[in-house]
Amino acid sequence: MSLIEDYAMIGDLQTAALIDRTGSVDWMCLPRFDSPACFAALVGEQDNGHWRVAPVSGGTCTSRRYLPDTLVLESTWRTPEGEVQVLDLMPPRGKQPDVVRIVVGVSGAVTVRSELRLRFGNGRIKPWVEHGDQDTDAVAGPDRVHLATPVPMHGQDWATVGETTVHAGDRVPFVLTWSPSNYPTPDAVDAEKALADTVTFWQAWSARGTLTGPVREDAQRSLITLKALTYGPTGGIVAAPTTSLPESIGGVRNWDYRFCWLRDAGMTLQALLAGGYADEAVAWREWLLRAVAGDPSTLQIMYGIDGRRWLPEGELPWLSGYEGSTPVRTGNGASEQLQIDVYGETLDALALTRNAELSSSDDAWALQSALMEHLEGAWQDKDNGLWEMRGPTQDFVHSKVMAWVAADRMARAAQRFDLPGPRGRWADLRDTIHAQVCENGYDADRNTFTQAYGSKDLDAALLLLGRVGFLQPDDPRLVGTIEAVQADLGRGDGFVLRYDTHDGDDGLAGHEGVFVACSFWLVDALVGIGRHQEARRLYDRLLGLRNDVGLLSEEWDPVAQRHLGNTPQAFSHFTLVGSAVTVHEGVLRRSDQPPPQADQP
């Protein structure tokens, strides 16, 4: 089985496919990010669905890269018989999703094999397949997949296979198209035109960015990745395109991340605005407003890509899991948890868009006021916290701090923009929360804030105390907290855990790797207190965790030296962009302060 870092991603702004270094598409959901997978070998076996296009001699590609400023993947095999490349892409969505694979002969004569093993229903259902002269149709229930290629294909061991010898200068296309099974045969796709159009789309999008010089070199691939994780019809951004890639190999911390988390909103907006992508920031803000609309008491921590709320968690027992890590899950039960911090993160994100002078409306302010009114009566409740712990609820310090953020942002907005609301009451609440957190969430003996009231444990979320403005950079309690997190949660080369899992104190068994985003938070925190050289060293080490095509998963195992968790992870990439700007500017901006590149769209 391939390592998590062996996977590259292609996508069409509505779904994505993961391709390993052997040329195998091992994960793809059609027609949307959150649809059942038709290739599920990533979290199962080869018989759960995959599509490999590679030399018959097999093995991993010699090298691979994305074509400059695009999401077009180029994999190269140098064999004793010659050299071939495979170009993989998904054109931005037209009428239907297409996967285009073009084999390019570079030198010699190399025999290439295509092995297509479709399994609908998350790797469970074998389709009915019919082979034509230059096409193949596969149907099962609501799904239909059409493969068009000049290579003769035939059935073998419940797969569709074909071989062709590719000479220098040859270009052999394979085009796979999904459609509802009751629809007629989809329109033919010109593979070369699709390639040209896709390159043009991504390079034009990249050219819109405003970052330049070294910061662009560090951040642009992450910005392209965030764009690729965006569900175009709504502007929602999935946390990752995968489910159940484990936080601990062989463990049970395997979650479905094909949804949109509210807590990602502010950091995603910061990253998009820093890159100059105001249109995408507006689309994400509009998704956010639609998703949270309704009764403030029913605010969820996450929503579907279209804003739906019902995300029931289930298990897929026919899948063996990535390296035996079970269960494989769909849906996410954490969507039903109480997490007070999401009120603050939502209002912080909306404050950022207002401060960046992105278009706003009275309806948005009315919704924010309703959320704040509910929070005024709920902020003292115990909750499950930022990390969605499935154990007992607690008074998490980060949750209380984000309640402070909510009150602070509302009081500031009402004052600065002369908006209606009880600005004095909100300011008083801000002071009350601040005093309570400093009284109950601070360990004076160790000079550090703690994970929860009455706890001795620490939490990497405490690294955000300076970023959100709860403490000033010269506050000794902030410096003490950063140093305590480094000492207690540090794991090799300066990386940090989210928190110490204590073999199940959070309701689950097993340890996990260091959380990539938290380590970028540490970079930002170190800049904030003036430790620029230390921050730069850690930042450079974190950049080194990216795989060969610039992607990051959720976590890093410092012992096994490998990626863990769902991939590519939006949380890791938007914090990378934020830290790139912070390190190169030498300034930590408050979370509601727009970067200088933010312009009115």
Side-chain angles (χ1 to χ4, degrees):
M1 176 171 283
S2 296
L3 297 173
I4 292 172
E5 56 265 36
D6 287 334
Y7 287 95
M9 177 183 67
I10 59 173
D12 67 354
L13 308 184
Q14 294 193 36
T15 192
L18 265 61
I19 306 170
D20 74 1
R21 294 179 59 85
T22 72
S24 181
V25 180
D26 284 350
W27 180 257
M28 184 167 65
C29 301
L30 291 173
R32 309 190 333 172
F33 289 111
D34 56 359
S35 299
C38 64
F39 299 132
L42 178 67
V43 288
E45 311 298 332
Q46 292 288 288
D47 194 54
N48 295 122
H50 73 106
W51 181 19
R52 178 175 287 107
V53 176
V56 169
S57 56
T60 60
C61 61
T62 309
S63 63
R64 63 179 180 171
R65 62 168 187 149
Y66 285 113
L67 298 186
D69 285 343
T70 78
L71 203 67
V72 176
L73 181 68
E74 176 191 86
S75 303
T76 300
W77 279 264
R78 297 183 181 91
T79 75
E81 296 75 31
E83 180 176 331
V84 294
Q85 295 176 338
V86 177
L87 297 172
D88 287 311
L89 60 130
M90 294 186 72
R93 184 73 61 92
K95 293 181 179 179
Q96 68 277 317
D98 304 297
V99 179
V100 177
R101 315 192 74 178
I102 302 174
V103 182
V104 180
V106 179
S107 65
V110 182
T111 301
V112 172
R113 176 182 173 90
S114 170
E115 180 177 296
L116 173 65
R117 198 177 302 273
L118 284 160
R119 296 293 184 267
F120 296 115
N122 289 312
R124 190 180 193 184
I125 301 170
K126 295 182 176 74
W128 180 264
V129 180
E130 294 182 339
H131 301 287
D133 290 339
Q134 293 195 346
D135 63 358
T136 299
D137 258 333
V139 175
D143 298 296
R144 175 180 188 171
V145 163
H146 182 82
L147 175 65
T149 178
V151 177
M153 308 296 290
H154 64 277
Q156 179 180 312
D157 298 329
W158 294 99
T160 295
V161 301
E163 295 182 3
T164 186
T165 299
V166 181
H167 299 82
D170 288 348
R171 298 178 71 89
V172 182
F174 297 83
V175 179
L176 185 147
T177 301
W178 178 94
S179 64
S181 60
N182 59 310
Y183 280 32
T185 301
D187 295 338
V189 174
D190 183 323
E192 296 294 344
K193 184 177 186 302
L195 170 61
D197 290 347
T198 303
V199 168
T200 297
F201 170 84
W202 282 106
Q203 289 184 344
W205 186 84
S206 293
R208 285 177 41 213
T210 57
L211 296 179
T212 59
V215 66
R216 186 187 192 279
E217 293 176 13
D218 293 350
Q220 191 63 27
R221 176 52 53 188
S222 289
L223 288 164
I224 290 172
T225 302
L226 291 173
K227 176 66 172 177
L229 295 176
T230 302
Y231 182 63
T234 66
I237 300 174
V238 296
T242 56
T243 181
S244 302
L245 290 179
E247 297 171 6
S248 175
I249 299 296
V252 298
R253 298 171 184 272
N254 318 315
W255 314 114
D256 191 348
Y257 274 18
R258 298 171 298 159
F259 308 113
C260 306
W261 267 254
L262 295 189
R263 70 171 47 90
D264 296 0
M267 295 182 189
T268 305
L269 285 166
Q270 280 276 4
L272 292 172
L273 290 171
Y277 294 105
D279 289 345
E280 284 72 15
V282 169
W284 176 233
R285 193 274 309 274
E286 293 305 309
W287 175 90
L288 181 66
L289 289 172
R290 291 192 302 271
V292 304
D295 183 352
S297 67
T298 62
L299 187 73
Q300 296 186 183
I301 66 167
M302 72 180 81
Y303 296 84
I305 53 179
D306 53 6
R308 64 188 171 93
R309 293 168 175 253
W310 180 237
L311 308 174
E313 186 173 299
E315 298 181 2
L316 307 178
W318 59 88
L319 293 174
S320 59
Y322 179 84
E323 293 192 17
S325 305
T326 57
V328 176
R329 294 182 170 94
T330 61
N332 200 309
S335 62
E336 300 178 17
Q337 289 183 349
L338 174 63
Q339 296 180 23
I340 296 296
D341 62 292
V342 297
Y343 289 89
E345 280 134 3
T346 299
L347 295 174
D348 193 31
L350 295 174
L352 171 62
T353 62
R354 180 174 284 107
N355 293 339
E357 299 183 354
L358 300 182
S359 56
S360 60
S361 68
D362 291 341
D363 289 341
W365 179 250
L367 176 58
Q368 292 171 74
S369 297
L371 291 172
M372 188 65 224
E373 182 178 357
H374 174 76
L375 183 61
E376 287 182 82
W379 72 271
Q380 298 194 72
D381 293 344
K382 298 177 187 288
D383 72 343
N384 296 97
L386 167 73
W387 305 122
E388 300 168 6
M389 294 187 182
R390 300 198 175 195
T393 57
Q394 301 181 60
D395 287 307
F396 287 101
V397 168
H398 177 262
S399 296
K400 306 305 184 190
V401 168
M402 293 312 296
W404 174 90
V405 167
D408 177 76
R409 302 320 187 239
M410 293 298 286
R412 286 173 178 268
Q415 179 67 35
R416 177 180 174 184
F417 298 101
D418 195 26
L419 294 166
R423 64 187 69 171
R425 192 175 79 211
W426 291 336
D428 290 343
L429 177 61
R430 173 182 59 193
D431 295 342
T432 298
I433 298 173
H434 198 282
Q436 187 192 94
V437 171
C438 292
E439 174 67 24
N440 300 324
Y442 175 68
D443 183 341
D445 292 337
R446 294 189 294 163
N447 187 30
T448 182
F449 286 85
T450 60
Q451 183 178 56
Y453 290 177
S455 170
K456 292 292 185 181
D457 293 336
L458 299 183
D459 189 321
L462 298 169
L463 295 170
L464 299 173
L465 291 173
R467 181 180 182 275
V468 300
F470 186 83
L471 295 176
Q472 296 303 307
D474 59 352
D475 192 313
R477 294 171 298 179
L478 177 59
V479 176
T481 299
I482 294 170
E483 291 176 343
V485 169
Q486 287 180 290
D488 284 21
L489 300 181
R491 295 294 186 275
D493 292 329
F495 307 138
V496 293
L497 299 170
R498 295 185 292 176
Y499 58 95
D500 193 332
T501 57
H502 293 317
D503 285 326
D505 282 3
D506 62 348
L508 295 168
H511 286 283
E512 62 180 26
V514 295
F515 204 73
V516 174
C518 294
S519 299
F520 279 119
W521 289 349
L522 177 56
V523 170
D524 295 343
L526 290 170
V527 171
I529 61 174
R531 297 184 181 177
H532 297 279
Q533 292 184 350
E534 185 180 353
R536 182 59 195 245
R537 288 193 296 270
L538 176 56
Y539 171 74
D540 288 340
R541 287 195 292 272
L542 286 166
L543 292 186
L545 302 186
R546 296 177 295 184
N547 72 359
D548 58 315
V549 291
L551 301 184
L552 286 167
S553 65
E554 182 181 23
E555 297 183 4
W556 170 255
D557 184 337
V559 176
Q561 299 283 294
R562 60 178 296 185
H563 288 196
L564 293 173
N566 286 300
T567 195
Q569 175 72 276
F571 213 164
S572 300
H573 283 283
F574 59 65
T575 51
L576 184 157
V577 175
S579 291
V581 173
T582 297
V583 166
H584 287 285
E585 286 188 347
V587 175
L588 176 62
R589 298 181 183 279
R590 268 177 54 127
S591 56
D592 62 339
Q593 181 182 1
Q597 293 91 341
D599 296 315
Q600 178 74 25

mmCIF file of all heavy atoms in Angstrom, residues 260 262 285-294 298-300 302-304 306-309 367:
data_model
loop_
_atom_site.group_PDB
_atom_site.id
_atom_site.type_symbol
_atom_site.label_atom_id
_atom_site.label_comp_id
_atom_site.label_asym_id
_atom_site.label_seq_id
_atom_site.Cartn_x
_atom_site.Cartn_y
_atom_site.Cartn_z
ATOM 1 N N CYS A 260 -17.426 21.029 5.580
ATOM 2 C CA CYS A 260 -16.910 22.384 5.794
ATOM 3 C C CYS A 260 -17.041 22.748 7.267
ATOM 4 O O CYS A 260 -18.150 22.767 7.807
ATOM 5 C CB CYS A 260 -17.687 23.387 4.932
ATOM 6 S SG CYS A 260 -17.739 22.984 3.176
ATOM 7 N N LEU A 262 -16.771 25.399 10.408
ATOM 8 C CA LEU A 262 -16.851 26.836 10.656
ATOM 9 C C LEU A 262 -15.535 27.386 11.194
ATOM 10 O O LEU A 262 -15.153 28.508 10.884
ATOM 11 C CB LEU A 262 -17.975 27.150 11.648
ATOM 12 C CG LEU A 262 -19.410 26.856 11.200
ATOM 13 C CD1 LEU A 262 -20.388 27.438 12.210
ATOM 14 C CD2 LEU A 262 -19.688 27.400 9.816
ATOM 15 N N ARG A 285 -17.388 33.492 2.349
ATOM 16 C CA ARG A 285 -18.188 34.250 3.316
ATOM 17 C C ARG A 285 -19.683 34.051 3.055
ATOM 18 O O ARG A 285 -20.472 33.872 3.998
ATOM 19 C CB ARG A 285 -17.816 35.733 3.224
ATOM 20 C CG ARG A 285 -18.332 36.619 4.367
ATOM 21 C CD ARG A 285 -19.764 37.147 4.144
ATOM 22 N NE ARG A 285 -19.932 37.767 2.856
ATOM 23 C CZ ARG A 285 -19.654 39.044 2.594
ATOM 24 N NH1 ARG A 285 -19.179 39.816 3.531
ATOM 25 N NH2 ARG A 285 -19.868 39.530 1.379
ATOM 26 N N GLU A 286 -20.094 34.036 1.783
ATOM 27 C CA GLU A 286 -21.507 33.853 1.469
ATOM 28 C C GLU A 286 -21.965 32.443 1.827
ATOM 29 O O GLU A 286 -23.082 32.252 2.302
ATOM 30 C CB GLU A 286 -21.759 34.146 -0.017
ATOM 31 C CG GLU A 286 -21.544 35.612 -0.390
ATOM 32 C CD GLU A 286 -22.374 36.553 0.465
ATOM 33 O OE1 GLU A 286 -23.604 36.327 0.588
ATOM 34 O OE2 GLU A 286 -21.805 37.497 1.036
ATOM 35 N N TRP A 287 -21.092 31.431 1.586
ATOM 36 C CA TRP A 287 -21.437 30.071 2.037
ATOM 37 C C TRP A 287 -21.634 30.065 3.549
ATOM 38 O O TRP A 287 -22.582 29.468 4.064
ATOM 39 C CB TRP A 287 -20.316 29.085 1.667
ATOM 40 C CG TRP A 287 -20.585 27.717 2.212
ATOM 41 C CD1 TRP A 287 -21.255 26.700 1.601
ATOM 42 C CD2 TRP A 287 -20.238 27.233 3.528
ATOM 43 N NE1 TRP A 287 -21.348 25.622 2.437
ATOM 44 C CE2 TRP A 287 -20.734 25.919 3.633
ATOM 45 C CE3 TRP A 287 -19.562 27.782 4.609
ATOM 46 C CZ2 TRP A 287 -20.566 25.142 4.777
ATOM 47 C CZ3 TRP A 287 -19.403 27.017 5.759
ATOM 48 C CH2 TRP A 287 -19.894 25.717 5.838
ATOM 49 N N LEU A 288 -20.731 30.739 4.251
ATOM 50 C CA LEU A 288 -20.795 30.780 5.710
ATOM 51 C C LEU A 288 -22.114 31.391 6.184
ATOM 52 O O LEU A 288 -22.786 30.842 7.078
ATOM 53 C CB LEU A 288 -19.608 31.580 6.241
ATOM 54 C CG LEU A 288 -19.459 31.741 7.745
ATOM 55 C CD1 LEU A 288 -19.184 30.399 8.392
ATOM 56 C CD2 LEU A 288 -18.324 32.720 8.059
ATOM 57 N N LEU A 289 -22.519 32.493 5.589
ATOM 58 C CA LEU A 289 -23.756 33.156 6.004
ATOM 59 C C LEU A 289 -24.975 32.275 5.742
ATOM 60 O O LEU A 289 -25.892 32.203 6.570
ATOM 61 C CB LEU A 289 -23.904 34.494 5.269
ATOM 62 C CG LEU A 289 -22.939 35.605 5.700
ATOM 63 C CD1 LEU A 289 -23.053 36.797 4.767
ATOM 64 C CD2 LEU A 289 -23.221 36.029 7.146
ATOM 65 N N ARG A 290 -24.982 31.596 4.601
ATOM 66 C CA ARG A 290 -26.119 30.714 4.302
ATOM 67 C C ARG A 290 -26.158 29.533 5.258
ATOM 68 O O ARG A 290 -27.227 29.111 5.713
ATOM 69 C CB ARG A 290 -26.035 30.211 2.859
ATOM 70 C CG ARG A 290 -26.256 31.283 1.802
ATOM 71 C CD ARG A 290 -26.447 30.650 0.427
ATOM 72 N NE ARG A 290 -25.320 29.826 0.015
ATOM 73 C CZ ARG A 290 -24.262 30.277 -0.648
ATOM 74 N NH1 ARG A 290 -24.169 31.575 -0.959
ATOM 75 N NH2 ARG A 290 -23.289 29.455 -0.999
ATOM 76 N N ALA A 291 -24.979 28.975 5.563
ATOM 77 C CA ALA A 291 -24.933 27.788 6.407
ATOM 78 C C ALA A 291 -25.416 28.070 7.827
ATOM 79 O O ALA A 291 -26.142 27.265 8.414
ATOM 80 C CB ALA A 291 -23.510 27.225 6.435
ATOM 81 N N VAL A 292 -25.011 29.207 8.393
ATOM 82 C CA VAL A 292 -25.321 29.480 9.797
ATOM 83 C C VAL A 292 -26.677 30.152 9.977
ATOM 84 O O VAL A 292 -27.124 30.359 11.117
ATOM 85 C CB VAL A 292 -24.226 30.329 10.463
ATOM 86 C CG1 VAL A 292 -22.874 29.661 10.320
ATOM 87 C CG2 VAL A 292 -24.185 31.744 9.889
ATOM 88 N N ALA A 293 -27.346 30.497 8.876
ATOM 89 C CA ALA A 293 -28.648 31.155 8.983
ATOM 90 C C ALA A 293 -29.646 30.239 9.684
ATOM 91 O O ALA A 293 -29.613 29.018 9.534
ATOM 92 C CB ALA A 293 -29.154 31.540 7.595
ATOM 93 N N GLY A 294 -30.533 30.835 10.443
ATOM 94 C CA GLY A 294 -31.535 30.069 11.180
ATOM 95 C C GLY A 294 -31.427 30.340 12.666
ATOM 96 O O GLY A 294 -30.888 31.360 13.100
ATOM 97 N N THR A 298 -29.052 26.425 17.176
ATOM 98 C CA THR A 298 -28.782 25.190 16.440
ATOM 99 C C THR A 298 -27.525 25.289 15.586
ATOM 100 O O THR A 298 -27.314 24.468 14.695
ATOM 101 C CB THR A 298 -29.975 24.819 15.544
ATOM 102 O OG1 THR A 298 -30.176 25.854 14.563
ATOM 103 C CG2 THR A 298 -31.242 24.640 16.366
ATOM 104 N N LEU A 299 -26.685 26.293 15.852
ATOM 105 C CA LEU A 299 -25.442 26.430 15.103
ATOM 106 C C LEU A 299 -24.612 25.161 15.235
ATOM 107 O O LEU A 299 -24.438 24.621 16.325
ATOM 108 C CB LEU A 299 -24.641 27.618 15.639
ATOM 109 C CG LEU A 299 -23.384 27.999 14.850
ATOM 110 C CD1 LEU A 299 -23.759 28.670 13.540
ATOM 111 C CD2 LEU A 299 -22.494 28.920 15.683
ATOM 112 N N GLN A 300 -24.099 24.662 14.117
ATOM 113 C CA GLN A 300 -23.263 23.472 14.113
ATOM 114 C C GLN A 300 -21.805 23.855 13.895
ATOM 115 O O GLN A 300 -21.499 24.952 13.449
ATOM 116 C CB GLN A 300 -23.707 22.503 13.006
ATOM 117 C CG GLN A 300 -25.100 21.958 13.214
ATOM 118 C CD GLN A 300 -25.484 20.896 12.197
ATOM 119 O OE1 GLN A 300 -26.612 20.413 12.212
ATOM 120 N NE2 GLN A 300 -24.583 20.513 11.318
ATOM 121 N N MET A 302 -19.933 22.147 11.799
ATOM 122 C CA MET A 302 -19.629 21.820 10.407
ATOM 123 C C MET A 302 -20.927 21.630 9.643
ATOM 124 O O MET A 302 -21.983 21.371 10.234
ATOM 125 C CB MET A 302 -18.781 20.558 10.313
ATOM 126 C CG MET A 302 -19.536 19.284 10.643
ATOM 127 S SD MET A 302 -18.548 17.788 10.532
ATOM 128 C CE MET A 302 -17.709 17.846 12.102
ATOM 129 N N TYR A 303 -20.811 21.763 8.320
ATOM 130 C CA TYR A 303 -21.955 21.608 7.430
ATOM 131 C C TYR A 303 -21.494 20.895 6.168
ATOM 132 O O TYR A 303 -20.295 20.802 5.877
ATOM 133 C CB TYR A 303 -22.538 22.976 7.066
ATOM 134 C CG TYR A 303 -23.112 23.717 8.249
ATOM 135 C CD1 TYR A 303 -22.288 24.480 9.087
ATOM 136 C CD2 TYR A 303 -24.466 23.660 8.554
ATOM 137 C CE1 TYR A 303 -22.800 25.155 10.184
ATOM 138 C CE2 TYR A 303 -24.996 24.336 9.651
ATOM 139 C CZ TYR A 303 -24.159 25.079 10.460
ATOM 140 O OH TYR A 303 -24.668 25.745 11.545
ATOM 141 N N GLY A 304 -22.466 20.418 5.397
ATOM 142 C CA GLY A 304 -22.146 19.845 4.115
ATOM 143 C C GLY A 304 -21.706 20.916 3.130
ATOM 144 O O GLY A 304 -21.876 22.114 3.365
ATOM 145 N N ASP A 306 -22.988 21.863 0.537
ATOM 146 C CA ASP A 306 -24.112 22.685 0.088
ATOM 147 C C ASP A 306 -24.820 23.354 1.258
ATOM 148 O O ASP A 306 -25.880 23.965 1.087
ATOM 149 C CB ASP A 306 -25.096 21.832 -0.717
ATOM 150 C CG ASP A 306 -25.535 20.580 0.037
ATOM 151 O OD1 ASP A 306 -25.165 20.429 1.223
ATOM 152 O OD2 ASP A 306 -26.225 19.729 -0.564
ATOM 153 N N GLY A 307 -24.254 23.234 2.458
ATOM 154 C CA GLY A 307 -24.838 23.846 3.652
ATOM 155 C C GLY A 307 -25.766 22.939 4.431
ATOM 156 O O GLY A 307 -26.320 23.359 5.451
ATOM 157 N N ARG A 308 -25.938 21.691 3.999
ATOM 158 C CA ARG A 308 -26.854 20.803 4.726
ATOM 159 C C ARG A 308 -26.314 20.505 6.125
ATOM 160 O O ARG A 308 -25.102 20.504 6.365
ATOM 161 C CB ARG A 308 -27.095 19.517 3.950
ATOM 162 C CG ARG A 308 -25.879 18.652 3.750
ATOM 163 C CD ARG A 308 -26.197 17.494 2.810
ATOM 164 N NE ARG A 308 -24.982 16.778 2.437
ATOM 165 C CZ ARG A 308 -24.523 15.715 3.087
ATOM 166 N NH1 ARG A 308 -25.183 15.249 4.143
ATOM 167 N NH2 ARG A 308 -23.430 15.107 2.693
ATOM 168 N N ARG A 309 -27.235 20.209 7.033
ATOM 169 C CA ARG A 309 -26.887 20.023 8.438
ATOM 170 C C ARG A 309 -26.823 18.558 8.867
ATOM 171 O O ARG A 309 -26.133 18.230 9.826
ATOM 172 C CB ARG A 309 -27.913 20.747 9.324
ATOM 173 C CG ARG A 309 -27.868 22.264 9.176
ATOM 174 C CD ARG A 309 -29.061 22.940 9.834
ATOM 175 N NE ARG A 309 -28.940 24.397 9.781
ATOM 176 C CZ ARG A 309 -28.651 25.161 10.830
ATOM 177 N NH1 ARG A 309 -28.449 24.612 12.002
ATOM 178 N NH2 ARG A 309 -28.557 26.467 10.704
ATOM 179 N N LEU A 367 -27.798 38.818 11.371
ATOM 180 C CA LEU A 367 -27.484 37.435 11.715
ATOM 181 C C LEU A 367 -26.392 37.392 12.778
ATOM 182 O O LEU A 367 -26.485 36.629 13.756
ATOM 183 C CB LEU A 367 -27.042 36.682 10.469
ATOM 184 C CG LEU A 367 -26.572 35.234 10.664
ATOM 185 C CD1 LEU A 367 -27.665 34.389 11.316
ATOM 186 C CD2 LEU A 367 -26.142 34.628 9.331
#
